[in-house]
Amino acid sequence: MPSFTTLRRGFAVYSRNSHGIATRWFGASAATALRMTAARQSANPPMEFPCIDKLETRQRGLMAGPEPTYEKVVTGYEVYHHKMPFVCDHGGILPQLDIAYETWGHLNHEKSNAILLHTGLSASSHARSHARNNNPGWWEKFIGPGLAIDTDKYFVICTNVIGGCYGSTGPGSVDPATGQRYATTFPLLTINDMVRAQFHLLDNMGIQHLHASVGASMGGMQSVCAAALYPSRVGRLVSISACARSHPYSIALRFAQRQALMADPNFNRGFYYDGVMPHLGMKLARSIATVTYRSGPEWEQRFGRRRWAPDQPPALCPDFLIETYLDHQSESFCLQYDANSLLYVSKAMDMFDISRSVTRRLDTQRNRAIVEHQNEKDTSVTGGTNMSVCMNINEQPESTTGQSRMETGVEIEDDLVAGVSDVMQPTLVLGVQSDILFPVKQQKEIADILRRAGNTKVTYYELDALYGHDTFLIDFVTVGAAIKGHLENSTI
């Protein structure tokens, strides 16, 4: 019986039989040859892998280098062009900045009825349909006349965050300094950076005071951040399924997603725009993410242990209905979102921490970068008062590792309380009991630190919903009623 030793080198496979004769195969043909050899020697037929066949077919199709479809997913948005350099918290600089945004309703004469709606990780500015884009938005049932965010009363603004891929400046944008896409020369971002960019847009629109800052998931992080960074400009705060700081479990989940993505052989350290997109890595990353977005009880109810084809033998490819669901959800996402945007935006979520020590450290880093850039260019890059917080640039950061030096639970919580010491707005915090990505403990933490800081207008609701983290996208009756009540309550 011949024995084979197989070595993989890139896309090639070398096999050497017992007589020392080496054979070299490439790609799918190599796998086919090895499978045929095994089949001849085994008493069992080889397993079929239609899911891998499908991936290989998709991969061959991508070899032609199609334009990424995410650039065409959203249409009908407006773009604010910020002409001045934008200095990021970790010292990177964007020579100029585009922010894609959409609006609904009408801004009143006093410009006091605006609501800034913040998005989750992969959402665009298209929260609701309108004349320029009549496709349903991601919060279609929440925004409109008489709905949770009543456009007869409020002027709603939703942006695509910087770092994204739906019209705002991100890794897939062209760097004016090189004429090429940024790719992974794009600077690391923070949630604070995203919010500061949004307030540049508000400045340009002449809006000095928001009726409310509203967001869920990463959008909830942004809403808390907006209230903390601009307390005098935010009238009310709504944070849903979010946190005051990212916790280890969610960081670990997002890390696993990024590792799966970067392991794709086509990732090319982020410089894939002129070649093959990292389709497989994106699909794996999205599969991991999708598991965290819903709940086990919901899937038990929807899918149970039912198989897609119960009359067929079990397969290693998608077999159970829950597997086919994950496969479909992840496949549809692959070419609709930029892989680099996923890396950058998810990393910003990991680093989010509203603690005073962290905020001061970021301010110090950014101010130092501003001064260095001024010295290099001999010109101002601040672009307005929101470019930086006026601080002593010689102040030393809390920690060179990016973490607070606080060690005990009490010290950490005190630091968080100090970080929201100016957040005295009427606040609504919503959590969902079935949420595994942002457990209710994290929503309670937001409410607790605000109350400890002296905010007496904090309302906390914990929803017993089945849909896990995605409840904020689905339960427009319960979630919508809570939001509507908070926004329109004139007694708070």
Side-chain angles (χ1 to χ4, degrees):
M1 181 73 67
S3 61
F4 287 86
T5 301
T6 302
L7 301 175
R8 291 184 179 272
R9 299 179 183 173
F11 290 102
V13 176
Y14 295 78
S15 292
R16 188 179 301 276
N17 62 20
S18 58
H19 301 291
I21 301 174
T23 304
R24 186 186 190 196
W25 297 303
F26 292 87
S29 60
T32 301
L34 290 173
R35 186 166 64 248
M36 292 174 62
T37 301
R40 287 195 297 268
Q41 299 178 42
S42 174
N44 302 311
M47 183 74 70
E48 296 296 325
F49 290 90
C51 54
I52 296 179
D53 295 338
K54 181 179 177 181
L55 283 174
E56 290 176 347
T57 299
R58 169 61 68 89
Q59 197 81 339
R60 287 193 293 272
L62 293 174
M63 290 294 182
E67 295 181 11
T69 58
Y70 56 78
E71 294 184 330
K72 304 176 183 64
V73 169
V74 181
T75 61
Y77 54 79
E78 299 179 68
V79 177
Y80 162 62
H81 181 67
H82 185 67
K83 298 179 181 179
M84 300 296 291
F86 183 87
V87 180
C88 303
D89 283 334
H90 289 291
I93 298 175
L94 296 172
Q96 54 193 32
L97 193 66
D98 283 341
I99 301 177
Y101 69 98
E102 297 176 51
T103 64
W104 302 265
H106 300 281
L107 189 63
N108 62 19
H109 181 73
E110 296 80 13
K111 297 187 176 182
S112 61
N113 68 331
I115 291 177
L116 181 59
L117 176 61
H118 308 275
T119 72
L121 184 152
S122 59
S124 70
S125 58
H126 191 61
R128 179 180 166 83
S129 57
H130 50 76
R132 296 182 305 279
N133 183 350
N134 58 14
N135 292 320
W138 57 267
W139 240 23
E140 186 76 16
K141 295 182 179 180
F142 288 80
I143 304 168
L147 298 182
I149 303 181
D150 191 344
T151 51
D152 287 337
K153 299 178 179 180
Y154 305 114
F155 178 66
V156 184
I157 309 162
C158 183
T159 78
N160 176 221
V161 296
I162 58 170
C165 56
Y166 298 132
S168 293
T169 297
S173 302
V174 173
D175 182 350
T178 65
Q180 303 295 319
R181 295 182 191 257
Y182 281 102
T184 46
T185 65
F186 197 77
L188 280 176
L189 296 173
T190 65
I191 298 296
N192 302 38
D193 288 328
M194 297 173 185
V195 170
R196 290 188 299 108
Q198 291 167 341
F199 273 78
H200 281 307
L201 168 63
L202 295 179
D203 290 342
N204 184 68
M205 300 174 78
I207 298 173
Q208 292 302 308
H209 186 78
L210 292 168
H211 178 75
S213 174
V214 179
S217 189
M218 187 184 81
M221 295 177 175
Q222 294 172 71
S223 62
V224 171
C225 183
L229 295 184
Y230 302 93
S232 64
R233 298 185 65 177
V234 177
R236 299 181 187 218
L237 167 61
V238 177
S239 178
I240 308 168
S241 297
C243 62
R245 54 178 178 145
S246 284
H247 289 248
Y249 181 70
S250 60
I251 293 173
L253 289 168
R254 287 188 290 267
F255 170 77
Q257 294 171 47
R258 291 194 297 271
Q259 289 291 294
L261 196 166
M262 291 187 290
D264 189 306
N266 294 313
F267 175 62
N268 195 30
R269 287 172 167 77
F271 290 86
Y272 50 77
Y273 294 106
D274 295 326
V276 181
M277 311 296 282
H279 171 265
L280 177 59
M282 280 289 280
K283 183 170 184 176
L284 293 174
R286 188 63 171 185
S287 293
I288 296 169
T290 303
V291 171
T292 72
Y293 293 156
R294 307 303 271 264
S295 76
E298 182 204 358
W299 284 346
E300 181 72 34
Q301 192 176 94
R302 286 176 63 185
F303 306 115
R305 288 180 47 81
R306 296 189 299 277
R307 294 176 58 218
W308 176 66
D311 57 332
Q312 298 296 319
L316 296 179
C317 284
D319 183 22
F320 287 96
L321 289 184
I322 181 59
E323 295 174 330
T324 64
Y325 170 80
L326 288 176
D327 185 66
H328 171 74
Q329 291 293 322
S330 57
E331 177 69 30
S332 63
F333 180 75
C334 287
L335 293 179
Q336 294 187 7
Y337 196 76
D338 184 14
N340 280 330
S341 287
L342 179 61
L343 296 179
Y344 277 84
V345 177
S346 71
K347 186 63 180 180
M349 292 179 71
D350 288 355
M351 294 186 291
F352 180 65
D353 188 338
I354 204 64
S355 302
R356 172 176 285 177
S357 64
V358 174
T359 302
R360 285 182 171 177
R361 175 180 56 80
L362 295 177
D363 287 341
T364 300
Q365 288 180 176
R366 188 175 69 256
N367 282 326
R368 184 173 292 112
I370 290 173
V371 171
E372 290 174 355
H373 187 61
Q374 287 173 332
N375 291 338
E376 290 175 1
K377 302 295 184 180
D378 194 26
T379 183
S380 173
V381 298
T382 57
T385 57
N386 289 335
M387 179 60 75
S388 65
V389 178
C390 295
M391 294 180 61
N392 179 1
I393 65 168
N394 293 317
E395 179 181 347
Q396 295 300 309
E398 284 289 317
S399 168
T400 56
T401 63
Q403 296 295 319
S404 169
R405 288 186 179 141
M406 308 297 178
E407 295 181 356
T408 70
V410 173
E411 289 176 320
I412 292 171
E413 187 167 318
D414 287 346
D415 198 14
L416 284 169
V417 171
V420 296
S421 60
D422 293 327
V423 182
M424 296 297 140
Q425 302 92 331
T427 299
L428 172 65
V429 181
L430 292 180
V432 180
Q433 291 177 1
S434 58
D435 190 344
I436 64 171
L437 184 58
F438 288 84
V440 290
K441 177 182 177 181
Q442 297 180 25
Q443 277 66 247
K444 289 178 181 177
E445 184 174 59
I446 297 174
D448 289 345
I449 63 173
L450 288 172
R451 287 167 178 156
R452 277 196 54 194
N455 190 331
T456 60
K457 300 176 181 178
V458 179
T459 301
Y460 173 74
Y461 290 141
E462 193 170 294
L463 306 180
D464 183 14
L466 191 65
Y467 307 111
H469 186 64
D470 275 356
T471 296
F472 74 90
L473 294 170
I474 299 170
D475 191 354
F476 62 90
V477 174
T478 306
V479 175
I483 294 171
K484 186 176 181 67
H486 182 73
L487 295 177
E488 298 180 7
N489 187 348
S490 60
T491 64
I492 57 177

